[in-house]
Structures are given as C-alpha cells and as structure tokens.
Amino acid sequence: PVDLAAAGAGSDVAVLIGTNADETTLFGMGQARDLDHVAAVLRRREPDADVVLAAYREARPDADPSELLVAATSDWTFRIPAIRLAEARLAAGAAPTWMYGFSWRSRAFDGALGATHALEIPFVFDTLDAPGVGMFLGEGPAPAALAATMHGAWAAFVRGDDPTPAPGLDWPAYTSEGRAVHDFGEPCRLLADPARAERLVWQGRR
C-alpha cells in the first residue's frame, strides 16, 4: 500500500489516519520480565534491536521494561507504518492527510490495557453506551465529551475532507515539516512530531 500511495494511488482522496498510544497491550504485550526479554522480542522484528531499545530507553528514562515493550511494538506494528503512508502521500502530492493519536487510557483490568488497540472505536462512533463497551472502558464516568469531540471530527471529515470545522479543533494537515498530530486524550492537544526520537530510530529500518 505504501508503494502504491507513493506512485499516486488514491492521491485525490483525503485521508484521516492514526494510532493508539498502547496498541499492543491487546495482543499480550506489556508483560516483559526484563530488558533482555524486551530485546529478544524486538529482535524477532528488527536485527538492530539493541539500537532500537537504547533509543526508547533514552527517550523514556522512567519507563519499565513492559512499558518499553509496548511502546516499541506499538510503533513497529502501527504508528511507523501509518507515518510511512502519510509520507508516501506527501511525496506523491496527494490530497491532505490528517494524523491523529489516541491516548485515553482504559480503566479496565486495573488500567493494564492503557490506550489499547480498538479502544478508540466507540469514541469515533460516539457509542460509549453500546453493549459491551463499558467492560472495555472500565468503571467510572463515561468520557462523553471526548467521544463527542472525536465523533465530531470524523463526521466533519466525512462531510468535507477536513476534520476541523465541526469541533473547532486546531489541527493542520500532516506535513514533513510540522508533522502535526492531534492527540485525543484528556486533554486533547495538538502535538508537533511526537515521539520524534523513536520515529527517527526506525528510519531505514521500518
């Protein structure tokens, strides 16, 4: 898909793309025994696992091995490929691409899931009261305001290829200079090239 995008496929279509902060907790990550375990998992994906892990440790000095494992595998599997698609579209002169992040942390399972894979779906569709969603969110007040904001952005995008008008968000399209990412969390915020060091360590690797 990235090669096709770079060649111009879909260039006339605007894209809204992004990832969650803790994608891989849903797949059993986040249970690292120690740094050697993290390196071993990363080595299955990347021969230079020690270099990658060192970059994550430097960028996240307070993170424990499980947090480092989630961060690195979430990037490898989801965030970096999303960035590569956005970059390919930029190279092709495609219609605008908007990049989002989702950082609202689930309260379920004592918070172990974090902002896990697919957690954003009931926010995008504003269906926090749908059957089964409460178990995914965990106990506590429903984050209705965040769901309304996300749903408004997606609906505005569907109507007009721009996610900003309905909720009034400050959210410029993704560029190679600004690398703007709108993070949907508490609070929502606009970020410029978030997790830059981690992004750069994958250059030429992923």
Side-chain angles (χ1 to χ4, degrees):
V2 171
D3 292 340
L4 289 171
S11 287
D12 58 331
V13 180
V15 167
L16 176 58
I17 189 171
T19 56
N20 297 358
D22 308 299
E23 294 273 7
T24 56
T25 57
L26 194 64
F27 309 103
M29 298 300 181
Q31 302 173 28
R33 295 185 298 273
D34 50 34
L35 291 174
D36 288 340
H37 181 198
V38 178
V41 173
L42 294 181
R43 204 165 285 117
R44 298 174 203 156
R45 297 161 171 81
E46 170 53 50
D48 291 333
D50 293 337
V51 174
V52 171
L53 180 54
Y56 278 81
R57 291 187 67 189
E58 182 176 355
R60 302 164 184 257
D62 297 326
D64 63 29
S66 292
E67 291 166 338
L68 292 171
L69 179 62
V70 169
T73 55
S74 293
D75 279 359
W76 189 91
T77 310
F78 295 96
R79 188 173 76 99
I80 298 304
I83 290 172
R84 296 292 176 256
L85 179 59
E87 291 171 338
R89 289 175 53 79
L90 287 171
T97 301
W98 278 271
M99 183 82 71
Y100 76 89
F102 183 79
S103 62
W104 188 86
R105 296 180 60 83
S106 167
R107 299 174 295 237
F109 307 105
D110 296 323
L113 291 175
T116 195
H117 183 69
L119 182 61
E120 85 287 359
I121 293 174
F123 291 82
V124 168
F125 291 96
D126 198 4
T127 54
L128 298 184
D129 58 351
V133 172
M135 182 179 68
F136 207 29
L137 301 179
E139 295 184 1
L146 179 57
T149 298
M150 283 196 79
H151 180 69
W154 264 248
F157 176 76
V158 170
R159 287 193 299 265
D161 291 348
D162 184 340
T164 59
L169 297 176
D170 177 20
W171 187 2
Y174 197 81
T175 65
S176 56
E177 296 80 22
R179 296 185 180 272
V181 176
H182 190 87
D183 182 67
F184 289 89
E186 292 183 333
C188 292
R189 53 190 179 151
L190 182 67
L191 305 175
D193 198 4
R196 181 175 185 273
E198 293 97 316
R199 175 180 67 78
L200 290 176
V201 79
W202 292 111
Q203 199 72 35
R205 294 188 171 91
R206 177 64 168 148

